Amino acid sequence: MQRLIPATRLLSGTKYSNRWRRCFSQAAQKEVDNKDGVAVPKMPSFDYSPPPYTGPSAAEILSKRKEYLSPSMFYFYNKPLNIVDGRMQYLFDEKGRRYLDAFGGIATVCCGHCHPDVVDAIIDQTKRLQHSTILYLNRAIADFAEALANKLPGNLKVVFFTNSGTEANELAMMMARLYTGCHDIISLRNAYHGNAAGTMGATAQSNWKFNVIQSGVHHAINPDPYRGVFGSEGEKYAKDVQDLIQFGTSGNIAGFISEAIQGVGGIVELAPGYLPAAYRTIKKAGGLCIADEVQAGFARTGSHFWGFENHGVVPDIVTMAKGIGNGIPLGAVVTTPEIAEVLTRRSYFNTFGGNPVCTTAGLAVLKVIEKEKLQDNAFVVGSYLKERLTALKDKYDVIGDVRGRGLMLGVELVTDNELKTPAKLETLHVMDQMKEIGVLVGKGGFYGNVFRITPPLCFTKEDADFLVDAMDYTMSKM
């Protein structure tokens, strides 16, 4: 196992910090230029070249962005990318350079960038009818609702369309409160469920929470097999849910919301046995169980279509977005007819939820997943990729953990395997150098030290090899 010098040792002062960064930058450029004689990993061939780009440069766009867009918008890399074209699992910058997209627009592009079947469906619908209102009939929303309901178990067959995952989770939480007559909801520490008033309360990372009123949400101990106090013993973590109900509520609650694999939280798969035990406790307290499938849904985990299915549970409400539209702004809440009835107590309406173009895209996505067997591919390629990443973990002690399912994988970097000290700077360095080689990965976790690998589901074994080889090459030079 190769032992890397922790960046934190080299960053004890500003003077050394600047020197270290300059050295890393200079060394990295030499590596990418292949001047040391070591072969840089080669990207798999691909039969597509984008048309010449004639728009503004990255510098011009960045200048406009700084002047006209919210200062809260951040970007990856020391030199942010100007992405102008995309095909399947690849993206292209303004100069026509190709990149392997292993982030998938934050687990959003499931079929592949600009998949022809999805694009054609969108164009055809847009030419015919771009928008009317759900106050009139249109086949697009009805056909997609039927197809979506048929992908879910039990009596989960009533669909409400939204524009995003945040909206979907907001609606699900409100429905749980209306149905039960209770206000308290239990979420998990390290969770991310959105950034609106209610969902920010359910989110449990200070990085994503503003100092505004967020009432009625209690955060249970996170069943994190890597960093959690009970390791992989899910039922021990579930005891905290019972304690929260007994000591933090009236004894009755509205619901429990969780991801099967925490995406923003760093691809943390919940410990085995946790969800069944937690669901039983919630049911006893009169609450509803909400499965947030915004990132793990739509075949991404490979073994199942929905993340919750990996845990052998059936929720009362399922929320979804991202992969549902392959990049089209679309979300949904699916529940039972009985629970859905609560919204008839008043008028509930969403202007763009169920838009014909968006729902047409959603139906096309489902057809592509089925036709191209993308769930099977996610399982086969994802399993292969995880095996290769795990082998890399055995080679470099900077890799503390490799986790996840299918094509929703995480690689956590640490400077000390016993203390599990987050390797924040090393993560940024590896991420930046992989980009120079041609691989784009995401970053997440509370400490920003986890690579989020969530590529389009058309990812191949050759792509997996290129990704791991690029990571191996970069780490070998640190």
Side-chain angles (χ1 to χ4, degrees):
M1 178 178 287
Q2 296 188 21
R3 187 169 297 279
L4 309 183
I5 300 174
T8 47
R9 290 186 196 168
L10 303 172
L11 295 174
S12 55
T14 304
K15 172 179 156 185
Y16 296 103
S17 170
N18 292 336
R19 182 185 301 170
W20 181 83
R21 287 192 178 95
R22 283 198 299 272
C23 289
F24 243 175
S25 176
Q26 293 165 1
Q29 188 58 53
K30 289 180 181 179
E31 292 158 19
V32 172
D33 290 344
N34 196 22
K35 292 178 181 178
D36 57 2
V38 178
V40 179
K42 185 178 179 182
M43 186 180 297
S45 59
F46 187 64
D47 188 22
Y48 174 77
S49 296
Y53 174 71
T54 58
S57 67
E60 291 173 300
I61 294 171
L62 184 59
S63 177
K64 286 184 180 181
R65 179 163 159 158
K66 288 179 178 179
E67 184 173 359
Y68 299 110
L69 294 173
S70 169
S72 68
M73 292 174 61
F74 56 89
Y75 50 82
F76 281 162
Y77 308 116
N78 293 325
K79 295 181 179 179
L81 284 172
N82 179 20
I83 297 297
V84 302
D85 208 315
R87 284 297 182 279
M88 304 309 287
Q89 67 269 45
Y90 296 104
L91 292 170
F92 299 83
D93 68 13
E94 59 187 356
K95 297 178 181 178
R97 183 181 178 186
R98 179 163 57 102
Y99 298 87
L100 177 63
D101 181 13
F103 197 24
I106 316 179
T108 298
V109 180
C110 65
C111 299
H113 292 283
C114 300
H115 191 289
D117 290 8
V118 179
V119 170
D120 288 347
I122 291 170
I123 290 173
D124 289 346
Q125 180 59 51
T126 303
K127 287 180 177 179
R128 189 173 184 89
L129 180 67
Q130 185 175 349
H131 181 76
S132 56
T133 168
I134 58 171
L135 298 175
Y136 308 136
L137 300 182
N138 185 274
R139 66 170 297 178
I141 185 173
D143 288 349
F144 184 41
E146 178 185 29
L148 197 55
N150 286 335
K151 299 296 293 185
L152 286 147
N155 207 28
L156 292 163
K157 60 182 183 182
V158 180
V159 184
F160 297 86
F161 287 112
T162 66
N163 305 290
S164 68
T166 291
E167 274 193 358
N169 284 331
E170 286 278 336
L171 178 57
M173 290 169 65
M174 183 178 75
M175 291 172 73
R177 284 167 167 158
L178 290 172
Y179 182 79
T180 62
C182 297
H183 185 66
D184 291 298
I185 285 177
I186 294 176
S187 176
L188 294 177
R189 297 177 190 177
N190 197 54
Y192 181 89
H193 295 292
N195 55 12
T199 48
M200 191 180 293
T203 292
Q205 294 186 50
S206 60
N207 303 341
W208 302 98
K209 293 168 78 73
F210 288 98
N211 187 23
V212 295
I213 294 174
Q214 300 164 42
S215 67
V217 180
H218 310 265
H219 301 104
I221 294 173
N222 193 34
D224 181 346
Y226 180 62
R227 289 186 175 272
V229 292
F230 301 121
S232 295
E233 299 184 70
E235 292 194 13
K236 288 186 177 181
Y237 293 103
K239 176 66 167 59
D240 187 53
V241 176
Q242 181 62 50
D243 289 345
L244 280 177
I245 293 170
Q246 288 181 330
F247 301 106
T249 76
S250 65
N252 294 104
I253 63 170
F256 170 81
I257 184 170
S258 72
E259 306 157 90
I261 301 177
Q262 294 175 334
V264 174
I267 316 297
V268 177
E269 187 171 12
L270 307 188
Y274 177 79
L275 273 187
Y279 272 33
R280 287 193 297 269
T281 299
I282 297 300
K283 292 294 186 181
K284 288 178 182 177
L288 300 181
C289 297
I290 304 169
D292 180 338
E293 291 287 325
V294 170
Q295 295 199 35
F298 290 88
R300 181 158 292 282
T301 63
S303 56
H304 296 84
F305 198 84
W306 306 107
F308 65 79
E309 292 177 304
N310 293 302
H311 295 265
V313 297
V314 178
D316 301 293
I317 304 174
V318 181
T319 62
M320 57 198 74
K322 292 189 181 289
I324 190 175
N326 202 52
I328 286 289
L330 179 62
V333 177
V334 186
T335 189
T336 66
E338 184 182 7
I339 296 170
E341 192 69 23
V342 297
L343 291 187
T344 64
R345 298 176 189 174
R346 295 291 187 274
S347 295
Y348 173 77
F349 187 79
N350 188 315
T351 299
F352 297 107
N355 169 277
V357 174
C358 294
T359 49
T360 294
L363 183 58
V365 167
L366 284 183
K367 289 178 178 178
V368 169
I369 291 174
E370 187 73 23
K371 182 178 76 171
E372 300 184 0
K373 301 185 186 315
L374 294 183
Q375 183 176 328
D376 292 341
N377 190 68
F379 178 77
V380 172
V381 176
S383 298
Y384 175 76
L385 176 55
K386 189 176 182 180
E387 287 177 6
R388 285 221 56 196
L389 290 169
T390 301
L392 210 60
K393 175 180 178 294
D394 296 335
K395 185 176 180 180
Y396 300 106
D397 60 359
V398 73
I399 300 179
D401 195 30
V402 174
R403 53 183 180 253
R405 283 176 180 259
L407 288 174
M408 188 171 183
L409 300 175
V411 178
E412 180 159 356
L413 302 193
V414 296
T415 58
D416 187 305
N417 271 286
E418 289 186 13
L419 298 176
K420 299 176 182 176
T421 309
K424 303 176 188 178
L425 290 167
E426 290 83 352
T427 302
L428 290 173
H429 170 71
V430 174
M431 188 175 172
D432 211 69
Q433 293 313 302
M434 286 180 69
K435 184 260 289 184
E436 293 301 319
I437 295 171
V439 179
L440 307 181
V441 295
K443 178 174 68 72
F446 181 77
Y447 304 104
N449 67 317
V450 182
F451 292 128
R452 295 167 65 187
I453 301 173
T454 55
L457 305 188
C458 53
F459 216 64
T460 67
K461 285 188 176 180
E462 291 74 22
D463 296 323
D465 283 332
F466 179 54
L467 185 157
V468 178
D469 290 346
M471 190 177 293
D472 187 5
Y473 178 87
T474 301
M475 289 182 173
S476 73
K477 300 299 178 183
M478 288 172 63

